[in-house]
Amino acid sequence: MEPNAARSGLAMLSMETSSAETRNFDEVVQLHRARVFRFVLASVRDRPVAEDLTQECFWKAYKGWKRFRGDSSVNTWLMHIAVNVVKDFARSRRIQFWRRAPSVDPVSIESWLPDSGRSPEANVMLQENVRAIWTAAESVSPKQRTAFLLRFVEGMEMLEIAEVMGISESAVKVHLFRAVHAVRKRLRITV
């Protein structure tokens, strides 16, 4: 879903709220949609599903917008909602015993990687390395994968990740340590 589609969809659903509140939330969507979508896409690795889940995340945020107290940043609050949406999706998938084929391409990784003048061969090698990391990250627990994605895809700090996941900072460090260790082991990377 594009930001304009989100804007028009949310505007239609906001009949009972003031136009100022809707405009304010519209700005939130425009500022944070890409980051939320990137995290959800990295989590589910299926673009249409990620678009739906991103829309669901912002729908939940919109419904809770009046209750947002500002105890954390808007970004942290939205990422917390996104983590929960991804968890709910995974849980419903398990309950239904429905699995997508593991052959889904790790989306357009090329658009995530800056070119910076590398040769085509270097870009291909980098893309292959990123795909290998994605595959290795799939083998860790859901909490480890969430911490891994928030840290290395979104570049969030430990405290932010702790707030998003609703766990302590030390628990985040444990999940990250285990995830990185498992990925390195799977890729046979030694430090």
Side-chain angles (χ1 to χ4, degrees), residues 170-190:
S170 60
V172 169
K173 289 177 182 178
V174 169
H175 289 307
L176 272 176
F177 174 81
R178 290 179 179 165
V180 169
H181 179 73
V183 167
R184 283 181 175 161
K185 184 176 179 182
R186 186 149 181 169
L187 296 175
R188 293 177 179 90
I189 298 173
T190 57

Side-chain angles (χ1 to χ4, degrees), residues 139-163:
S139 68
V140 301
S141 76
K143 283 188 176 186
Q144 291 171 5
R145 186 172 31 263
T146 298
F148 186 86
L149 293 173
L150 289 173
R151 179 71 177 132
F152 298 112
V153 173
E154 293 307 317
M156 295 178 80
E157 297 298 322
M158 300 294 175
L159 188 57
E160 284 181 302
I161 296 169
E163 288 179 32

Side-chain angles (χ1 to χ4, degrees), residues 32-44 49-50 52-62 74-91 142 146 149-150 154 156 163-165:
H32 299 280
R33 184 191 178 283
R35 189 172 204 190
V36 169
F37 177 73
R38 195 172 46 239
F39 168 74
V40 173
L41 183 59
S43 297
V44 299
V49 170
D52 291 344
L53 294 178
T54 301
Q55 174 65 23
E56 183 178 342
C57 174
F58 281 103
W59 173 241
K60 288 182 178 202
Y62 178 75
V74 172
N75 180 60
T76 301
W77 179 65
L78 288 171
M79 294 305 284
H80 182 76
I81 295 170
V83 166
N84 287 334
V85 166
V86 169
K87 281 183 190 176
D88 291 345
F89 171 74
R91 189 176 307 119
T146 298
L149 293 173
L150 289 173
E154 293 307 317
M156 295 178 80
E163 288 179 32
V164 166
M165 293 181 68

Side-chain angles (χ1 to χ4, degrees), residues 12-180:
M12 290 174 24
L13 296 170
S14 65
M15 300 279 185
E16 59 211 40
T17 61
S18 74
S19 62
E21 287 176 0
T22 302
R23 277 193 306 272
N24 192 16
F25 189 76
D26 183 41
E27 290 172 13
V28 168
V29 172
Q30 289 179 11
L31 287 172
H32 299 280
R33 184 191 178 283
R35 189 172 204 190
V36 169
F37 177 73
R38 195 172 46 239
F39 168 74
V40 173
L41 183 59
S43 297
V44 299
R45 296 184 52 183
D46 183 319
R47 185 172 287 279
V49 170
E51 289 171 354
D52 291 344
L53 294 178
T54 301
Q55 174 65 23
E56 183 178 342
C57 174
F58 281 103
W59 173 241
K60 288 182 178 202
Y62 178 75
K63 290 192 308 187
W65 185 238
K66 287 183 181 179
R67 293 185 311 272
F68 176 64
R69 297 183 312 261
D71 294 343
S72 63
S73 70
V74 172
N75 180 60
T76 301
W77 179 65
L78 288 171
M79 294 305 284
H80 182 76
I81 295 170
V83 166
N84 287 334
V85 166
V86 169
K87 281 183 190 176
D88 291 345
F89 171 74
R91 189 176 307 119
S92 72
R93 216 169 57 166
R94 280 193 301 274
I95 290 170
Q96 297 170 9
F97 302 104
W98 178 73
R99 294 267 183 207
R100 300 216 22 108
S103 63
V104 175
D105 186 26
V107 296
S108 51
I109 290 174
E110 308 82 46
S111 64
W112 293 18
L113 303 173
D115 182 355
S116 69
R118 284 188 299 268
S119 70
E121 295 83 11
N123 280 331
V124 169
M125 293 271 300
L126 184 57
Q127 290 169 13
E128 287 175 8
N129 289 340
V130 170
R131 283 188 183 100
I133 292 169
W134 281 124
T135 302
E138 288 178 348
S139 68
V140 301
S141 76
K143 283 188 176 186
Q144 291 171 5
R145 186 172 31 263
T146 298
F148 186 86
L149 293 173
L150 289 173
R151 179 71 177 132
F152 298 112
V153 173
E154 293 307 317
M156 295 178 80
E157 297 298 322
M158 300 294 175
L159 188 57
E160 284 181 302
I161 296 169
E163 288 179 32
V164 166
M165 293 181 68
I167 59 177
S168 70
E169 192 173 354
S170 60
V172 169
K173 289 177 182 178
V174 169
H175 289 307
L176 272 176
F177 174 81
R178 290 179 179 165
V180 169

